[in-house]
Amino acid sequence: MSERILQQAPLAHVSARPGAAVAPVTALRYFENGLRGHINLRGDPTDARFAAAAERALGAALPTAANTTRIAGDIIVYWLGPDEWLAVTPGEREQEVVNALRSGLDGVHSSVTPVTGGQTVLVLRGTHARDLLAKGCPFDLHSPGFRPGACAQTHLAKAGVLLRPLGDDGMEIIVRRSFADYLYKWLETAAAEYGWVHATGEAPESRAHLANAQNTVT
Amino acid sequence: MLIIPCPWCGPREQTEFAYGGEAHIVRPKDPDALSDEQWGDYVFMRRNPKGRLLEQWAHAFGCRRWFNVERDTVSYAITRVYKPGEPAPEEAR
Ligand SMILES: [Zn+2]
């Protein structure tokens, strides 16, 4: 008899609340893309064996330019440091990607660490997404280079976050699970002047967003 | 508030960084061979100059890398950043 495991996203308790029936046009829509697979990968990108094995397992070469992302089908790879990346996969593909990385990197100086349980993905949509974050973030969210294809690690309301811009009116925020509820409350409060809608379900990740994000990858 | 240019991420605000004190302090190869005074020198004694100082910073909330900064302790002006393993600017030593 197989055992059923109940998975619950870190912000399932707020995502379950009913959304507002009427919201101002300025309102920010919030989604949690919970239950993704998060995989931390470390290694030397100048080691040809490491780079080739990572590319085979992920489906695209690792982004080696600082603070950039690369999209490979349904996997997003984020640059975290000169020898460190985060791969976010659909939840059901996590184990397969971990296995592919581990077998491909067998004997190569590297580390593959699933960190799925430790963090979650929030998405904000709305024309004031950057204005809202700017209230609690020292990073220049309006800098010209910070557009789809980029990412940045910084702090937001004192919580460490990984940001990925989704066009002019959207932002993805990856935050530690233990900070997720706190950060959600801060965002909801800080958004009072614009309006706030917690949309049910996951953020619409249309092909257009992916294409948009891919255009500017260097 | 300082704006510190991380060698990887570019200019970021000081609140993203952690301070690591004076740079280029080498751990003695054989601590057992040192007198208490020599060990005390290694652990505690720092140059504390008025003017140019080579110091360590970590981009704690960013790429999490350590690097070195040449900073003036009077004006706080940062004149150079360089990665670990890169040589210190001679004239500042
Ligand atoms: Zn950095």
Side-chain angles (χ1 to χ4, degrees), chain A residues 134-215:
Chain A
K135 294 181 183 189
C137 181
F139 179 73
D140 182 2
L141 298 156
H142 295 90
S143 60
F146 195 56
R147 54 176 199 268
C151 66
Q153 297 165 95
T154 180
H155 55 83
L156 174 61
K158 299 176 187 170
V161 290
L162 169 57
L163 302 177
R164 181 169 72 100
L166 308 168
D168 291 336
D169 66 343
M171 191 71 69
E172 180 192 87
I173 306 166
I174 297 184
V175 65
R176 293 217 192 273
R177 182 185 197 103
S178 52
F179 280 92
D181 185 62
Y182 156 75
L183 188 65
Y184 175 85
K185 286 175 173 140
W186 183 88
L187 288 167
E188 188 180 30
T189 307
E193 65 178 296
Y194 312 120
W196 181 256
V197 179
H198 30 250
T200 50
E202 301 209 325
E205 293 187 49
S206 66
R207 287 281 133 206
H209 294 147
L210 295 177
N212 192 13
Q214 217 150 16
N215 282 341

Side-chain angles (χ1 to χ4, degrees), chain A residues 16-86:
Chain A
R17 282 198 235 151
V22 181
V25 290
T26 57
L28 282 135
R29 284 172 300 136
Y30 147 87
F31 307 83
E32 178 182 20
N33 287 344
L35 305 182
R36 292 287 193 273
H38 296 241
I39 305 161
N40 183 284
L41 173 65
R42 297 198 67 173
D44 176 3
T46 64
D47 175 348
R49 285 204 302 157
F50 171 78
E55 179 169 352
R56 253 195 320 276
L58 297 170
L62 292 169
T64 49
N67 297 295
T68 60
T69 59
R70 186 154 287 157
I71 294 175
D74 52 10
I75 300 177
I76 306 174
V77 185
Y78 304 74
W79 181 97
L80 298 183
D83 60 8
E84 185 173 9
W85 295 266
L86 172 71

Side-chain angles (χ1 to χ4, degrees), chain A residues 42 66-67 79-84 138-139 152-155 160, chain B residues 8-17 59 61-65:
Chain A
R42 297 198 67 173
N67 297 295
W79 181 97
L80 298 183
D83 60 8
E84 185 173 9
F139 179 73
Q153 297 165 95
T154 180
H155 55 83
Chain B
W8 289 277
C9 303
R12 297 289 189 95
E13 210 159 317
Q14 184 184 343
T15 54
E16 292 187 4
F17 295 85
H59 195 188
F61 275 99
C63 62
R64 306 198 349 251
R65 295 317 113 154

Side-chain angles (χ1 to χ4, degrees), chain A residues 83-169:
Chain A
D83 60 8
E84 185 173 9
W85 295 266
L86 172 71
V88 174
T89 73
E92 67 277 9
R93 288 201 59 205
E94 178 192 356
Q95 197 56 52
E96 165 205 334
V97 176
V98 167
N99 292 346
L101 282 167
R102 285 197 173 143
S103 61
L105 291 167
D106 189 35
V108 179
H109 183 64
S110 61
S111 76
V112 178
T113 314
V115 292
T116 297
Q119 49 197 34
T120 192
V121 183
L122 312 186
V123 174
L124 296 182
R125 289 263 171 213
T127 50
H128 291 290
R130 289 174 195 234
D131 301 331
L132 168 63
L133 298 190
K135 294 181 183 189
C137 181
F139 179 73
D140 182 2
L141 298 156
H142 295 90
S143 60
F146 195 56
R147 54 176 199 268
C151 66
Q153 297 165 95
T154 180
H155 55 83
L156 174 61
K158 299 176 187 170
V161 290
L162 169 57
L163 302 177
R164 181 169 72 100
L166 308 168
D168 291 336
D169 66 343

Side-chain angles (χ1 to χ4, degrees), chain B residues 31-52:
Chain B
D32 288 341
L34 299 186
S35 67
D36 284 354
E37 192 186 350
Q38 287 170 317
W39 182 250
D41 268 358
Y42 160 67
V43 174
F44 298 112
M45 302 308 284
R46 298 294 180 260
R47 293 171 59 237
N48 193 25
K50 183 177 182 183
R52 281 205 287 185

